[in-house]
Amino acid sequence: MKNNFSAPVSGVGLGLHRSLLDALSHLDTTDINFMEIAPENWIRVGGRIGNQLRSYTEKFPFVCHGLSLSLGSPAPLNIDLLKAIKQFLREHNIRYYSEHLSYSGDGGNLYELLPIPFTEDAVHYVAARIRQAQDILGERIAIENATYYYAPSQEMTECEFINAVLCEADCALLLDVNNLYINSTNHQYNALEFLKNLHGERTAYIHIAGHDTEQENFCVDTHGAPVAQDVWDLLQATYSLFGIKPTLLERENNIPPLDALLYELNKIKKVQAQSSSQKL
């Protein structure tokens, strides 16, 4: 595989959900440069909803972000799901596919993203499954740094674990800046030092989102609130270290009116413009 890890999209993106199908229909790529969907939510969907999706994938560049491949699961990879995803990517001309560095089931979907132990054995196990998925899909994929609220059998740091998986699997990184902020807060490590030690050159694209602060020094990943200022600052630092990457706003709960969504998308554009001017 070529050592170009960037996703073939650019600018600012937004996650598309069924509740937004009507609200976003009048927009175009000058408003939103690309969109993202979870393929499991759309595979084999027909009728009016399927036609609406087709109208979007014909107008906007799309990436897919998987929810249930369960890369860290003890159960074998779901080959049937991978084949269905491959067909879906082709049917809708999807530009890129990513998944979570986590697991979500074992012989059944638990509907939760659970942490993989940060161990050498887990590195080899997960990397082999990522390579298998890439072979089936016929393309390099990106793995996302996931939030976790406990770290079982931790033998290495989160950053060391992610770097090791990226290198052994020869895959790309979907860098979720909000997830990094949450983990650094909850597990009390320095987010900037994490970024400096991360193989950020493998970043395909970036996620940014809001979260809830349950109590001091404890955050919960909700995708249901505006992006916090500390996360905006961390995004700026990410651009400074790794260059300006395609960046997507995730908003899945408490979805606000369109004006509020566009405000945050435009704020990403401003951060990108500021970062670009600082490099001149």
Side-chain angles (χ1 to χ4, degrees):
M1 295 180 184
K2 296 180 180 179
N3 288 327
N4 179 14
F5 298 99
S6 296
V9 292
S10 61
V12 174
L14 180 67
L16 178 65
H17 306 283
R18 294 191 190 189
S19 62
L20 292 173
L21 286 173
D22 292 332
L24 303 180
S25 61
H26 66 288
L27 302 180
D28 59 29
T29 53
T30 61
D31 306 294
I32 303 171
N33 303 131
F34 69 101
M35 290 188 174
E36 180 188 78
I37 50 177
E40 294 92 332
N41 292 337
W42 299 91
I43 289 172
R44 289 184 285 275
V45 171
R48 181 179 65 85
I49 299 297
N51 289 335
Q52 283 185 289
L53 174 62
R54 175 68 64 182
S55 71
Y56 275 90
T57 58
E58 289 177 349
K59 188 195 307 189
F60 295 91
F62 265 79
V63 295
C64 273
H65 185 44
L67 296 171
S68 54
L69 191 54
S70 199
L71 289 169
S73 170
L77 275 183
N78 188 334
I79 304 301
D80 289 339
L81 173 61
L82 274 168
K83 290 180 177 178
I85 289 171
K86 183 175 184 177
Q87 181 178 349
F88 182 82
L89 299 182
R90 290 179 175 177
E91 286 177 353
H92 288 277
N93 192 30
I94 305 296
R95 306 289 183 88
Y96 208 79
Y97 175 72
S98 64
E99 247 291 358
H100 299 81
L101 185 57
S102 62
Y103 78 96
S104 57
D106 182 22
N109 200 320
L110 302 176
Y111 301 101
E112 187 60 75
L113 298 173
L114 301 172
I116 301 171
F118 299 154
T119 68
E120 199 71 35
D121 286 345
V123 168
H124 302 321
Y125 180 77
V126 174
R129 288 162 69 88
I130 294 171
R131 291 196 303 270
Q132 182 184 4
Q134 290 183 146
D135 288 344
I136 293 170
L137 293 173
E139 61 186 58
R140 178 182 276 122
I141 68 173
I143 55 169
E144 181 185 40
N145 56 305
T147 52
Y148 61 99
Y149 301 97
Y150 66 99
S153 305
Q154 187 168 359
E155 297 175 0
M156 59 181 73
T157 67
E158 178 190 354
C159 187
E160 290 169 341
F161 179 75
I162 293 172
N163 283 341
V165 171
L166 291 172
C167 291
E168 187 164 328
D170 190 23
C171 63
L173 172 68
L174 167 51
L175 178 53
D176 192 309
V177 174
N178 184 59
N179 288 357
L180 170 56
Y181 176 80
I182 289 172
N183 290 343
S184 68
T185 299
N186 292 348
H187 301 286
Q188 299 182 1
Y189 63 75
N190 187 296
L192 284 176
E193 287 302 313
F194 182 106
L195 283 174
K196 290 175 182 177
N197 289 303
L198 186 66
H199 289 327
E201 74 281 357
R202 288 180 173 263
T203 302
Y205 67 109
I206 291 172
H207 275 174
I208 192 168
H211 61 266
D212 287 349
T213 301
E214 296 291 314
Q215 58 191 42
E216 187 177 2
N217 296 325
F218 182 71
C219 302
V220 177
D221 186 23
T222 62
H223 299 176
V227 178
Q229 184 57 51
D230 287 343
V231 177
W232 288 117
D233 295 341
L234 198 56
L235 178 65
Q236 180 85 59
T238 301
Y239 290 158
S240 297
L241 287 168
F242 308 136
I244 299 167
K245 302 289 185 179
T247 302
L248 183 128
L249 175 68
E250 293 185 292
R251 189 65 184 263
E252 297 166 6
N253 300 300
N254 302 321
I255 296 178
L258 180 58
D259 286 350
L261 287 175
L262 292 177
Y263 173 81
E264 289 203 299
L265 290 174
N266 287 329
K267 191 164 183 178
I268 298 173
K269 292 179 182 179
K270 289 179 181 178
V271 176
Q272 289 180 338
Q274 291 169 358
S275 298
S276 179
S277 65
Q278 289 172 0
K279 291 182 178 295
L280 296 178

